[in-house]
Every structure is written in C-alpha cells, then in structure tokens.
Amino acid sequence: MTERGHSSLSRGPDHLAMGDSLLHWKGDRLEIDIEEQAIWLGVPFHPPVRGKVVVEPEMWSGQRFALDPAGRHHWRAFAPRSRIRVEMERPGISWSGTGYLDGNHGSEALEDGFADWQWSRAHVGAEAAVLYEGVRRDGSTFASALRFDAHGHGQEEPLPMGAPLPATRWLMGRRTRADRGHARVVGTWEDSPFYARSAVASRLFGREVLAVHESLSLDRFRSPIVQWMLPYKMPRRP
C-alpha cells in the first residue's frame, strides 16, 4: 500500500482508482486489480505486487448504523457474506475462501471521533455475525452484536459476554465477546503499533466459529511518533 496525492485518485459510480490499482464492479462482483511498487526517496525497495482479488457477495445489506449520537460516523456491512478469489501474479500465489465487504464514512477523521475500537466478523451457519465496540473520543462507549440472516437483514442481538484476549507483541490490547466469555487467538496476521488483525476461535450464538478480529488504537495512531513512523511502513508519493 502506498499513500498517494489527489492527482493519483479517480472515482466514479462503479470504480475507484488509486495510482495503478483499481477497484471496479462487474455486475454484482467487485474486482480489485492490484499494481503496487513501494518506492522510498525515488528508489524501489521492495519487489512489485501485482494481481487480482474478486469478491462475489452471497448476501447484500442496505442497512447502515450510526457509531456516535451526533451521526458523524456511520458503518455499513455491504456484503456480510461473500466468496473471495485471490489470483496473484507477483508473488505467484492464489487461493479462494470466504469474504466480507464493509465500509465506514463520516464527516470527521476517525481519530477525532474515537480513541479505540474492537471489531470481529464470523460466519454462523448460513448467517453472519458482526461484533462492534469501542470508546469514543469523549470517553463514552458503544457496543453492538449484529446477526445477518441469509437475506442480509441485520438485527441487534443481546451482547455476549466479554472475552479477554492476549495483547500483541506491540502490547496492543485485544478483546472480544463470546458465549461463556471464552475465546482464543489462533493467529495474528497484522501486528503494528496501533493496529492488529487476528483469527479468533470462539463460540458465538451457540455455534463454534472462527472470526476475523481487529483492534485499532486511534490514540496511538495520532501520536507524533507513530505519524513519523508511518512513511517507513507505507511509502508516500507526492
């Protein structure tokens, strides 16, 4: 991933282009063409990444949810269940499996509205479940457990018990919710000073599930030290 300026952005009703990478709809499926080359001070320092990701929704949801009382931030799970196919040319790997498509939008930066959040998504039989909770910038908290049926309709469920998870190597706090308050980390895919993405096994709504889980500390993200470090992790182009 590369941070880019306004001149590298193009978007329309059915596409979003950033540099040489492109997201576009073909009928009911989303195709993501990836063409990335990390460059630092004008010099490539990592092999190029090139390939395609295809997301085919199995259900659609038109619902959106406000994350704060003032309505500055909204979240929507466009496709709570999807099939996904990854076909990479560089590196030469491919796989297929289950997927998910959501989005956030708002009238202010996320770090201005929130201090922390925890999120997870799991397939529950033919349905899908999403757990969302966090701390707003004013210190208030929010939490919801949503269950999407086979038609994509989401409804609030009683919140399962809190389930603590071990901190990451960067000492990022992680937590989730599960039946009987027990969950375990199966693997951590992304571990950074302010963000972690993990696979978490638990029991949810009476079923054994393997969830994708993320922890985000926006307090850490907005700190001057992390902001100084970011270009070394994700290069910036003018």
Side-chain angles (χ1 to χ4, degrees), residues 122-224:
H123 287 180
V124 183
E127 301 177 333
V130 177
L131 305 176
Y132 219 147
E133 63 182 299
V135 180
R136 301 186 184 100
R137 184 56 62 192
D138 63 6
S140 63
T141 61
F142 67 97
S144 63
L146 293 168
R147 192 167 180 175
F148 293 88
D149 64 21
H151 303 290
H153 176 73
Q155 67 177 24
E156 293 265 4
E157 296 282 353
L159 281 170
M161 293 177 60
L165 298 170
T168 69
R169 289 179 297 177
W170 283 98
L171 300 180
M172 271 283 297
R174 291 184 286 196
R175 64 187 184 276
T176 189
R177 293 179 180 270
D179 296 354
R180 300 193 293 272
H182 176 72
R184 62 185 176 89
V185 176
V186 176
T188 299
W189 299 315
E190 182 72 20
D191 186 358
S192 78
F194 65 91
Y195 175 84
R197 180 170 286 246
S198 314
V200 172
S202 69
R203 187 174 181 84
L204 195 60
F205 304 132
R207 287 178 175 264
E208 300 296 324
V209 300
L210 182 63
V212 177
H213 177 276
E214 72 176 12
S215 299
L216 174 65
S217 171
L218 289 155
D219 281 345
R220 287 190 176 190
F221 173 78
R222 76 191 315 197
S223 76

Side-chain angles (χ1 to χ4, degrees), residues 106-122:
S107 58
E108 67 179 4
L110 287 174
E111 62 268 28
D112 292 338
F114 303 93
D116 152 274
W117 78 36
Q118 308 284 327
W119 169 96
S120 64
R121 188 274 304 170

Side-chain angles (χ1 to χ4, degrees), residues 87-110:
E87 301 167 347
M88 300 302 297
E89 179 183 338
R90 297 194 63 170
I93 54 176
S94 62
W95 70 90
S96 62
T98 57
Y100 168 87
L101 181 65
D102 74 350
N104 291 77
H105 72 275
S107 58
E108 67 179 4
L110 287 174

Side-chain angles (χ1 to χ4, degrees), residues 1-4 18-22 33-39 46-51 90 234-235 237:
M1 297 176 66
T2 302
E3 289 189 357
R4 301 180 184 275
M18 293 171 286
D20 295 324
S21 295
L22 173 67
D33 298 315
I34 301 168
E35 183 74 41
E36 290 292 330
Q37 172 67 71
I39 295 177
H46 195 281
V49 176
R50 182 181 302 118
R90 297 194 63 170
M234 189 161 65
R237 292 191 182 184

